[in-house]
Amino acid sequence: MGRAMVPRPPPRMARSEILHGRPRPTLMIGGPQQMGPDFVEDFGMQDVAAYSQSPVLMIYGLNPEKMNCDRIFNILCLYGNVIKVKFLKSKPGTAMVQMGDPLAVDRAISGLSGMRFFNEKLVLAPSKQMYLTDTSGSVSQLNDGTPTQIDYNNSRNNRFTTTEQAAKNRIQNPSKVLHYYNAPISFDEEQVNNICKDLDISPPSKFVPFKSKTERSSSGLMEFDTKAQALECLTVANHFKIDNPTYSRYPYIVKLCFSTSSTTSRE
């Protein structure tokens, strides 16, 4: 008697596919050693679904003259809690980041891989390591004098610390438009342009403030000519501090995130 045919189970979908609500061709990434430059060019990285079992992320293609731990935090905090950031001194332009969970790694890979900024191309991949070891006793310095490793576990700028916080964060892929919030009421286009000049980044081509519901803070949209310029602004200016002499001894911490809103419809 012939052997009964057992139907094969359907291929497992990566979590990032499920989150986006539609199946896509899945490529399971086993580690950064499998991701050469030809692979990145062929797939463009944006359409590669990642499935990670580790909360640790590998990042390649960082401009050593522009990037440090805080600036990596400024980008990745949009995709999940950032626990630790560590630059690899033996590999310039490469860093490891421990996120709050593997799903945050998936989201970062899906949203950021293949993005160009500061004349480099980002490549992200899940690490085989399950956590970053504490090497605070042997931390060296980057080109700008900041530490090669920083612990952000207790940072108030993490945006997914509670369920309520996480629910407020709408995870968006990089776009030309940034949403700003927690800025002073007086925050205007001239101040933004001055900040961008001081930070040596391109200013937005459009600045659209929202009608404020409170006298304590303001929010709005900034549109840039390219996604790269928007990402550079987010990298450098996210969590920018502005004095708050009227309401508090603590400064305003201006927060940025990507937005799908149109500045034209808000004008």
Side-chain angles (χ1 to χ4, degrees):
M1 194 170 175
R3 217 179 196 180
M5 295 292 291
V6 179
R8 252 185 215 177
R12 182 176 60 177
M13 281 172 49
R15 278 176 289 182
S16 56
E17 293 180 282
I18 298 171
L19 282 175
H20 284 85
R22 58 188 175 88
R24 297 186 296 176
T26 303
L27 179 62
M28 297 303 191
I29 303 172
Q33 69 276 6
Q34 297 180 15
M35 300 176 62
D38 292 337
F39 172 92
V40 177
E41 291 294 335
D42 289 344
F43 287 92
M45 294 305 299
Q46 294 288 46
D47 294 324
V48 175
Y51 180 81
S52 174
Q53 294 181 335
S54 167
V56 180
L57 179 68
M58 297 294 304
I59 308 181
Y60 308 90
L62 299 168
N63 188 322
E65 300 301 320
K66 297 287 187 179
M67 297 302 295
N68 58 32
C69 293
D70 284 348
R71 291 183 174 184
I72 288 181
F73 176 92
N74 286 347
I75 302 172
L76 292 181
C77 69
L78 273 62
Y79 300 92
N81 289 330
V82 179
I83 309 302
K84 289 181 182 178
V85 178
K86 177 182 180 182
F87 274 83
L88 304 184
K89 290 294 285 184
S90 59
K91 297 179 180 178
T94 304
M96 300 179 72
V97 182
Q98 182 177 336
M99 302 293 290
D101 54 63
L103 191 55
V105 171
D106 289 350
R107 291 193 293 251
I109 292 173
S110 178
L112 295 170
S113 281
M115 282 295 299
R116 294 186 181 275
F117 77 134
F118 295 131
N119 299 315
E120 299 286 351
K121 186 173 183 178
L122 275 177
V123 179
L124 285 76
S127 170
K128 290 183 177 180
Q129 290 187 211
M130 297 306 294
Y131 61 90
L132 291 181
T133 55
D134 186 5
T135 57
S136 55
S138 59
V139 172
S140 54
Q141 291 185 336
L142 295 170
N143 294 341
D144 63 0
T146 60
T148 53
Q149 178 174 314
I150 296 180
D151 190 317
Y152 294 96
N153 196 35
N154 296 318
S155 173
R156 293 185 177 182
N157 291 326
N158 269 317
R159 303 183 183 183
F160 297 80
T161 304
T162 65
T163 305
E164 292 77 15
Q165 274 188 325
K168 293 179 181 178
N169 289 287
R170 301 178 67 181
I171 298 171
Q172 309 283 4
N173 284 337
S175 65
K176 296 180 182 180
V177 180
L178 294 180
H179 170 55
Y180 74 85
Y181 57 102
N182 200 44
I185 287 291
S186 60
F187 198 62
D188 57 18
E189 188 170 9
E190 182 181 359
Q191 187 172 12
V192 170
N193 289 339
N194 288 335
I195 290 172
C196 290
K197 183 178 180 181
D198 291 341
L199 296 176
D200 194 26
I201 53 176
S202 299
S205 53
K206 290 183 181 178
F207 178 84
V208 182
F210 294 163
K211 186 175 180 180
S212 182
K213 299 178 181 178
T214 173
E215 295 181 355
R216 289 183 174 271
S217 65
S218 66
S219 61
L221 300 175
M222 297 185 290
E223 183 174 345
F224 295 81
D225 292 334
T226 65
K227 290 182 182 180
Q229 289 179 356
L231 179 56
E232 289 168 6
C233 180
L234 178 87
T235 303
V236 176
N238 197 9
H239 306 122
F240 187 83
K241 295 179 180 179
I242 299 176
D243 289 339
N244 182 15
T246 305
Y247 296 107
S248 173
R249 61 192 178 93
Y250 298 107
Y252 286 96
I253 299 179
V254 181
K255 297 187 177 183
L256 304 173
C257 61
F258 294 114
S259 174
T260 56
S261 298
S262 169
T263 55
T264 304
S265 62
R266 295 278 186 167
E267 292 177 329

